[in-house]
């Protein structure tokens, strides 16, 4: 009877060792799987508030969000160009707040060129004309239509109105710095070229 019992105990020992070995292996596999899961992209994860760099987050990638930004911009435009009680206009830097970095860099180059020219040869020097088209204040954007072009670009078409006066307006906007910013205006008149392109040509011509 001892021999069969010894044999049974030996078999049990082997099974226990195998079980321990498998348990250790499974533990490593579980840890590895957990690590992979922790770094793998989960399509159900929500996007961070600011979204990936240069791409508008879902809550801003809507026509309504772009239209709301247009209204916000022109509320500040009205505030900037409405004389205060002491007769002074606001020193609000609309370009720095609401235009893209590329626009501002181009505008700085234009200003540097204009500084070397007599006034009658300067271009793009009147910021108020660009922002208000010479209309009074307050300004109200009406009939806003938005086209979402890519994850970071949109076009807004609207009528900029002050009382009975209005001006048809088209803005190209980029998502930058956690908000929609103006990258160019469509020029008013026969020249269908946008304002940024015209400024870049002016810079290149005067370098």
């Amino acid at each position: 009877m001892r021999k069969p019992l010894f044999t049974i105990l030996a078999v049990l020992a082997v099974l226990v060792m195998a079980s321990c070995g498998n348990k250790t292996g499974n533990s490593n596999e579980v840890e590895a799987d957990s690590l992979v899961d922790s770094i793998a992209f989960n399509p159900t994860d929500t996007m961070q508030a600011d979204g990936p760099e240069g791409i508008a987050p879902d809550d801003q990638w809507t026509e309504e969000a772009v239209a709301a930004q247009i209204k916000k911009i022109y509320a500040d435009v009205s505030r900037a160009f409405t004389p205060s009680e002491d007769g002074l206009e606001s020193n609000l830097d609309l370009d720095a707040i609401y235009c893209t970095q590329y626009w501002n860099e181009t505008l700085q180059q234009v200003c540097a060129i204009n500084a070397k020219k007599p006034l009658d040869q300067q271009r793009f020097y009147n910021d108020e004309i660009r922002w208000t088209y010479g209309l009074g204040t307050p300004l109200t954007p009406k009939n806003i239509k938005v086209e979402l072009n890519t994850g970071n670009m949109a076009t807004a078409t609207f009528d900029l109105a002050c009382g009975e006066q209005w001006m048809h307006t088209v803005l190209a906007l980029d998502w930058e710095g956690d908000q929609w910013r103006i990258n160019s205006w469509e020029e008013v008149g026969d020249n269908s070229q946008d304002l940024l392109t015209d400024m870049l040509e002016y810079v290149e011509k005067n370098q």
Side-chain angles (χ1 to χ4, degrees):
M1 293 294 294
R2 290 181 180 177
K3 187 173 181 180
L5 179 61
F6 176 79
T7 302
I8 292 171
L9 292 174
V11 171
L12 290 174
V14 171
L15 291 174
V16 169
M17 291 177 63
S19 176
C20 291
N22 289 338
K23 184 176 182 181
T24 303
N26 289 339
S27 176
N28 290 337
E29 290 174 3
V30 170
E31 291 178 2
D33 291 343
S34 298
L35 179 61
V36 171
D37 290 341
S38 69
I39 62 176
F41 171 72
N42 186 346
T44 62
D45 288 344
T46 57
M47 187 178 293
Q48 294 182 354
D50 294 341
E53 184 178 356
I55 303 298
D58 290 345
D59 64 335
Q60 293 296 315
W61 180 238
T62 66
E63 296 176 4
E64 292 77 12
V66 177
Q69 178 71 345
I70 295 297
K71 294 176 182 178
K72 178 182 178 182
I73 289 173
Y74 280 96
D76 272 351
V77 171
S78 295
R79 183 160 61 91
F81 291 106
T82 299
S84 61
E85 293 180 357
D86 56 9
L88 299 177
E89 294 179 345
S90 169
N91 60 355
L92 194 65
D93 192 340
L94 296 167
D95 289 284
I97 299 172
Y98 291 123
C99 294
T100 63
Q101 179 179 347
Y102 189 57
W103 167 271
N104 279 284
E105 290 173 351
T106 304
L107 183 61
Q108 289 176 3
Q109 292 177 296
V110 167
C111 291
I113 293 170
N114 283 341
K116 302 175 183 178
K117 292 177 173 285
L119 184 60
D120 61 349
Q121 296 180 20
Q122 296 178 13
R123 294 193 62 193
F124 317 108
Y125 63 88
N126 193 327
D127 292 340
E128 182 175 356
I129 293 298
R130 167 164 48 89
W131 285 106
T132 70
Y133 296 104
L135 301 174
T137 55
L139 292 163
T140 304
K142 297 182 177 180
N143 307 316
I144 302 174
K145 296 180 181 179
V146 176
E147 180 181 354
L148 301 172
N149 302 319
T150 68
N152 67 331
M153 298 175 64
T155 303
T157 304
F158 54 95
D159 297 325
L160 188 61
C162 177
E164 297 299 321
Q165 295 181 309
W166 60 273
M167 184 65 69
H168 183 68
T169 307
V170 181
L171 299 182
L173 301 104
D174 288 3
W175 179 261
E176 182 184 288
D178 302 333
Q179 69 172 324
W180 287 104
R181 296 177 185 267
I182 300 172
N183 195 50
S184 188
W185 283 254
E186 181 181 277
E187 290 194 284
V188 177
D190 295 334
N191 186 359
S192 61
Q193 183 167 265
D194 66 66
L195 186 57
L196 178 62
T197 301
D198 206 6
M199 289 169 62
L200 289 168
E201 290 181 356
Y202 180 69
V203 170
E204 182 178 4
K205 182 179 179 180
N206 288 277
Q207 282 182 339

